[in-house]
Amino acid sequence: INNCGVVVFTRDFAWQVTSEIFLYDNGLISQVTDNDIPDAFPDINDSGVIGYSRNVSPDEQVVLLVDGKETVLSEGNVSSPSINNAGHAPWGKFESGPCIVSGTRSDVWFFDGTSAARIHTDGFSNQIPELNDLDEITWTQYTFPCGGGGWTGEILLADDSGIMSLPSGSPQPQVPYLDSIGRVLWD
């Protein structure tokens, strides 16, 4: 949901083995995507720009939809984007390779309105980045042991001063949310 009360959501169509993006605005529901590709995990800003992921097997894509025009920001094993009112967006991108630090490695990528770049890579599984209008980003850094066993996590926050770990009081914090004035909450 954006600050104007507009909601984007996914509806699964089991008989078609796909999902599509829908928009709820002022009592009306309209379909945004209509294809044979699973579209999911949408986010919307106050200008109506929608970011989402879609599965174009064997890869996924991070897509921005601006005034009906789609722009693919990234391809590969990517997670859903978060989008702010400037049209900036972070997402996670899983990388394959040998297990060095964590069982699955995922880096944080960021689109600044012009170009996309990797902003954080450390060998851990960095997932579910959230962005606010100050371009602050928070995400969960998971550690999945290479040999198996229980996972641990940290909540990380990137801002103008760098990247910091937030004290959580738990070995398994996850799924952070960041508001427009920099407050972070998580599960």
Side-chain angles (χ1 to χ4, degrees):
I1 188 168
N2 66 14
N3 292 314
C4 304
V6 179
V7 178
V8 290
F9 61 95
T10 302
R11 179 172 178 212
D12 292 334
F13 294 94
W15 64 90
Q16 296 173 326
V17 190
T18 189
S19 57
E20 302 296 343
I21 307 294
F22 285 79
L23 184 118
Y24 171 85
D25 185 11
N26 202 24
L28 299 174
I29 295 176
S30 57
Q31 188 168 348
V32 175
T33 61
D34 188 8
N35 52 46
D36 293 329
I37 302 168
D39 303 306
F41 308 110
D43 193 16
I44 188 168
N45 70 12
D46 293 348
S47 299
V49 175
I50 299 172
Y52 62 96
S53 63
R54 71 175 165 206
N55 187 343
V56 288
S57 186
D59 292 326
E60 290 90 24
Q61 296 176 326
V62 171
V63 179
L64 280 189
L65 182 64
V66 183
D67 297 327
K69 182 176 184 260
E70 291 180 336
T71 301
V72 176
L73 299 181
S74 185
E75 295 182 294
N77 192 355
V78 295
S79 65
S80 58
S82 170
I83 187 164
N84 70 9
N85 284 318
H88 301 168
W91 62 91
K93 184 172 184 180
F94 292 89
E95 303 290 342
S96 61
C99 185
I100 297 169
V101 178
S102 183
T104 58
R105 183 180 134 212
S106 178
D107 300 335
V108 178
W109 286 71
F110 181 68
F111 174 70
D112 65 5
T114 304
S115 62
R118 182 182 357 234
I119 64 163
H120 186 70
T121 182
D122 59 6
F124 292 96
S125 189
N126 297 283
Q127 299 184 33
I128 316 167
E130 283 288 324
L131 175 71
N132 67 12
D133 287 337
L134 303 172
D135 277 347
E136 297 170 325
I137 305 169
T138 187
W139 65 89
T140 306
Q141 178 193 71
Y142 293 97
T143 302
F144 301 106
C146 293
W151 63 272
T152 58
E154 281 187 72
I155 303 300
L156 298 182
L157 174 70
D159 61 16
D160 289 337
S161 64
I163 297 173
M164 68 188 88
S165 176
L166 302 179
S168 70
S170 167
Q172 294 183 322
Q174 60 182 329
V175 194
Y177 173 79
L178 178 65
D179 74 8
S180 60
I181 59 173
R183 294 178 294 194
V184 182
L185 59 90
W186 57 84
D187 180 22

